[in-house]
Amino acid sequence: MGEVTLVPTQKVLDFPITALTFENQIQTIMKWAIAHESRTVCVANVHMLMEGHWNPEFANVLKNADVVTPDGMPLVWMMRRMGARSQDRVAGMDILQGLCQLAQAQNVSVYFLGSQTEILARMRKRLDQEFPNLKIAAMEPLPFRPLTEAEDADLIKKINKSGAGLVFVSLGCPKQENWMAQHKGKIQAVMIGVGGVFPVYAGIHKRAPRMVRELGFEWLYRWIQEPRRLWSRYMTTIPPFMWLATKQLLSSSRLAEVFLQGSGD
């Protein structure tokens, strides 16, 4: 493990979200990747924060991550309201493409882990077109069942032996974040949980247009594509997040009023 690097954060609900620009976040990740530091990067949206709110063990995973990027626009808006005025969105797809561009330029090898063989094959085709000089260490699906101890040890050895500095992990939330936390200190690379980015990059799902993303309606665009899978997730996470976020903003404004009154005495 390299030296401890403290990144600035802004709390959303009870979770420290990394308060750096997109460019600074990927440059920080890249610096760790070049040094082969064992780090974890969580790409957070409303669903992930609510998983942490309901599950104390998962909350610790998020709080112990080296970077937690604001992927969802509601997190970005909250950060801006809470003091990180110029915060921009640091989304999974942009992280994948931004880091592949940097990795190609700086000769850092990249490992793609999880998802399905067909999706990985389609990804490789697009990666070869967009980043022809990118060093791909491996593209490896994982079984849905948990790995045995021996299989896990082999996987750790394989990743480390490959020389990869970046490991993109696509197992879905919260499975991928738990997996990264369990392998911190064992895998000598930066692990980044990117969930549904693999099938979007592979062209299986479409990414929302930029204007839709900036308006914060990417969730609706995704729901139209996968209504059955996403309906219950959205209905169980969006309303409670809105309630908790409103409580945080009201509490924050009350604290500000108390401070201003106190300083005026």
Side-chain angles (χ1 to χ4, degrees):
M1 186 77 181
E3 62 183 73
V4 175
T5 306
L6 295 176
V7 293
T9 61
Q10 177 67 61
K11 280 206 171 181
V12 177
L13 307 191
D14 196 32
F15 300 101
I17 312 299
T18 303
L20 289 171
T21 64
F22 172 81
E23 190 61 34
N24 284 339
Q25 293 204 27
I26 63 168
Q27 289 289 352
T28 299
I29 292 166
M30 203 64 210
K31 184 181 76 174
W32 294 336
I34 290 167
H36 285 278
E37 296 187 21
S38 188
R39 303 276 188 169
T40 58
V41 177
C42 298
V43 180
N45 54 18
V46 166
H47 170 225
M48 188 177 292
L49 292 201
M50 292 312 300
E51 287 282 348
H53 177 73
W54 290 318
N55 183 336
E57 282 185 27
F58 188 63
N60 285 332
V61 167
L62 291 183
K63 289 173 183 178
N64 290 322
D66 294 290
V67 163
V68 181
T69 84
D71 181 358
M73 280 308 295
L75 275 64
V76 175
W77 293 330
M78 279 291 289
M79 292 175 77
R80 289 173 183 169
R81 290 295 299 272
M82 296 300 296
R85 303 290 179 203
S86 59
Q87 183 61 51
D88 51 4
R89 188 180 179 202
V90 186
M93 176 63 77
D94 300 323
I95 293 168
L96 175 75
Q97 291 177 293
L99 285 175
C100 284
Q101 186 69 53
L102 288 175
Q104 175 177 258
Q106 301 191 41
N107 203 31
V108 171
S109 179
V110 183
Y111 205 108
F112 296 87
L113 187 67
S115 197
Q116 300 160 23
T117 305
E118 181 198 349
I119 290 172
L120 293 172
R122 289 191 185 199
M123 282 184 70
R124 182 180 277 274
K125 195 172 179 183
R126 184 173 170 186
L127 287 165
D128 286 345
Q129 290 171 348
E130 288 189 0
F131 310 105
N133 297 317
L134 180 68
K135 286 174 65 178
I136 299 175
M139 303 188 83
E140 185 168 355
L142 288 180
F144 286 107
R145 60 171 177 79
L147 297 182
T148 65
E149 277 189 36
E151 286 172 334
D152 190 55
D154 284 345
L155 179 62
I156 293 166
K157 195 181 295 181
K158 188 175 179 182
I159 294 171
N160 287 336
K161 194 175 179 183
S162 76
L166 294 166
V167 181
F168 287 104
V169 186
S170 178
L171 301 174
C173 172
K175 188 177 177 183
Q176 67 196 6
E177 288 74 28
N178 288 327
W179 186 90
M180 293 189 301
Q182 289 157 10
H183 290 79
K184 193 170 180 178
K186 299 176 183 175
I187 289 174
Q188 301 309 309
V190 184
M191 296 167 275
I192 307 142
V194 289
V197 166
F198 280 20
V200 175
Y201 190 78
I204 299 201
H205 297 145
K206 286 186 179 177
R207 192 182 190 192
R210 180 178 290 278
M211 184 171 286
V212 173
R213 301 199 303 266
E214 289 175 353
L215 289 171
F217 287 115
E218 189 166 14
W219 66 272
L220 182 60
Y221 191 90
R222 289 185 62 204
W223 175 59
I224 290 166
Q225 290 188 77
E226 299 182 88
R228 191 173 295 179
R229 185 177 78 84
L230 295 175
W231 171 255
S232 64
R233 176 195 292 185
Y234 288 160
M235 287 306 97
T236 54
T237 58
I238 293 175
F241 175 84
M242 289 172 68
W243 165 248
L244 292 167
T246 303
K247 275 175 65 178
Q248 181 180 353
L249 290 171
L250 289 172
S251 172
S252 168
S253 62
R254 279 199 297 270
L255 284 171
E257 280 178 33
V258 170
F259 175 78
L260 288 171
Q261 286 169 0
S263 63
D265 290 342

